[in-house]
Amino acid sequence: MNIATTGTSTITRELIKAFKANDLNLIAAYSRDIKKAEAFKAEYGFKKAYDNYEDLLNDKEVDTVYIALPNALHFEYTLKALEHGKNAIVEKPFTTNMEDTMKLVETAKARHLYLFEAITAIHLPTYARMKKDLSKIGKIHLVALNFTKYSRKYDEFKNGELPNNFNPAMGGGALNDLNVYNLHVAQYLFGKPASCYYLYNDTLGADTSGVALLKYDDMIVNAMAGKDSESESYLQIIGEKGYIKATGATSITSSYEVVVGNDRTVTERDNGNPYDYEVAKMKEIFDNDDYQTHLELLDHTVAVMETLDALNQYHK
């Protein structure tokens, strides 16, 4: 994969590290500020720097564009990449609505292009093991997922500034920025819910924290996230025979404990960079031209977006 990146955010830096660890070719760095693009080029060893997106898309050496821009820009930049025959890796949340999601999926399929959502959770070996261990705790009735982290931008927001990650017009807020990880984990483990509801704290028009309730046949998932509070994040899956619990952000869960009666089993901790797993999977699919597995990942993205879109209807 010959990669071009968009944006110069922290998450872009993390994915660049994963791209390099998986021996992907860093071709071009894009930013609207050419000085930032040139700085990225020098820091990470890109071959080129662009401040014009059209010029980047016309670069024949680039075959894949990583979209790490504000949420509301994902659709526009990804669609342009696909229309120029480029594969795309799109940061979470995939888009801000289902109509845009389906337009991207249909465009990628029509052109036989690869379209990935950059989401750590569904590629972590921790969750693959956890899925197999669910049967140990019996029938599951309750699940709690909490991803709460006080944002360094929250004080700016309260003081009248409008950073992108709090700006509803840019797809910001706790649901899209943090709770989306909880949704991916819940639907990776349990599938799509029958119904959902979102209750949130509104601060100056933004959902700065909130609870998404996902209802399954005999199970309720309480997915909580906050950018205005500080807490230990965690996961707990509660069954009739016992429970599974993990601490830390659901985006990077590396170990968990299975408790059944007096039996407590702590799984071995994964010490790898959580971003490496998702990039390694994309590279494997791309190198093997495994379009079917790619489509299965897209199906998961679409299912999560259906839930996210329904939840966002409560915040209009």
Side-chain angles (χ1 to χ4, degrees):
M1 299 175 82
N2 295 327
I3 299 289
T5 62
T6 64
T8 56
S9 62
T10 299
I11 191 61
T12 308
R13 295 175 181 274
E14 293 294 342
L15 262 290
I16 288 172
K17 293 175 188 175
F19 292 150
K20 296 182 76 169
N22 285 279
D23 297 320
L24 274 59
N25 302 312
L26 301 181
I27 305 300
Y30 164 81
S31 171
R32 287 178 296 180
D33 183 338
I34 192 60
K35 291 182 179 179
K36 289 184 178 180
E38 290 285 1
F40 251 52
K41 173 188 171 184
E43 182 176 357
Y44 293 106
F46 286 93
K47 294 174 66 175
K48 309 167 190 178
Y50 289 102
D51 64 351
N52 184 297
Y53 192 53
E54 192 75 19
D55 288 346
L56 180 150
L57 294 179
N58 287 324
D59 188 328
K60 290 181 168 48
E61 201 171 355
V62 172
D63 61 36
T64 304
V65 182
Y66 168 55
I67 311 294
L69 300 169
N71 299 337
L73 300 181
H74 289 184
F75 172 71
E76 174 190 350
Y77 277 75
T78 304
L79 183 61
K80 284 182 179 179
L82 296 172
E83 289 176 341
H84 279 75
K86 308 299 186 186
N87 305 296
I89 300 170
V90 189
E91 261 305 321
K92 61 77 196 167
F94 195 65
T95 69
T96 57
N97 62 74
M98 273 305 295
E99 182 179 354
D100 288 352
T101 289
M102 295 315 300
K103 174 66 174 178
L104 295 182
V105 170
E106 290 162 5
T107 302
K109 287 181 178 179
R111 295 168 179 259
H112 198 79
L113 292 168
Y114 287 94
L115 177 59
F116 298 105
E117 183 175 14
I119 183 74
T120 53
I122 64 171
H123 298 291
L124 295 177
T126 309
Y127 288 122
R129 293 196 303 269
M130 188 183 295
K131 196 170 188 176
K132 294 178 181 178
D133 282 341
L134 292 177
S135 61
K136 295 179 179 178
I137 62 172
K139 190 172 181 60
I140 298 165
H141 295 294
L142 295 171
V143 178
L145 303 164
N146 174 32
F147 191 168
T148 298
K149 183 179 181 181
Y150 192 91
S151 171
R152 58 187 176 85
K153 295 286 188 178
Y154 184 54
D155 291 335
E156 297 175 17
F157 176 63
K158 289 192 297 181
N159 289 331
E161 298 180 40
L162 197 57
N164 287 328
N165 62 349
F166 282 98
N167 184 352
M170 296 305 292
L175 177 60
N176 288 333
D177 275 357
L178 295 182
N179 224 343
V180 65
Y181 287 112
N182 293 332
L183 299 184
H184 272 281
V185 171
Q187 293 193 206
Y188 173 78
L189 294 175
F190 307 112
K192 193 171 180 290
S195 60
C196 59
Y197 180 79
Y198 188 49
L199 184 65
Y200 60 93
N201 290 311
D202 187 312
T203 306
L204 303 175
D207 63 316
T208 53
S209 54
V211 176
L213 295 176
L214 313 181
K215 183 70 176 73
Y216 294 78
D217 287 343
D218 295 312
M219 181 180 71
I220 297 171
V221 174
N222 178 336
M224 179 166 55
K227 297 164 67 67
D228 56 5
S229 309
E230 188 62 42
S231 168
E232 180 180 59
S233 296
Y234 59 84
L235 167 153
Q236 191 162 29
I237 303 171
I238 304 168
E240 293 181 352
K241 296 180 180 179
Y243 59 92
I244 292 173
K245 68 174 184 178
T247 57
T250 49
S251 59
I252 56 173
T253 300
S254 59
S255 181
Y256 60 93
E257 184 177 11
V258 181
V259 181
V260 179
N262 294 322
D263 183 17
R264 291 176 174 263
T265 304
V266 180
T267 64
E268 184 177 349
R269 180 170 295 275
D270 294 315
N271 293 316
N273 180 344
Y275 300 100
D276 285 349
Y277 297 111
E278 60 178 305
V279 173
K281 187 62 177 179
M282 295 174 199
K283 182 177 186 292
E284 176 188 344
I285 288 171
F286 184 86
D287 287 349
N288 294 322
D289 196 19
D290 186 359
Y291 204 71
Q292 181 56 41
T293 298
H294 152 261
L295 291 178
E296 290 168 6
L297 289 177
L298 260 186
D299 286 343
H300 173 82
T301 287
V302 169
V304 172
M305 273 304 308
E306 287 176 343
T307 303
L308 185 63
D309 192 51
L311 293 168
N312 267 313
Q313 300 309 308
Y314 291 98
H315 185 245
K316 292 291 186 180

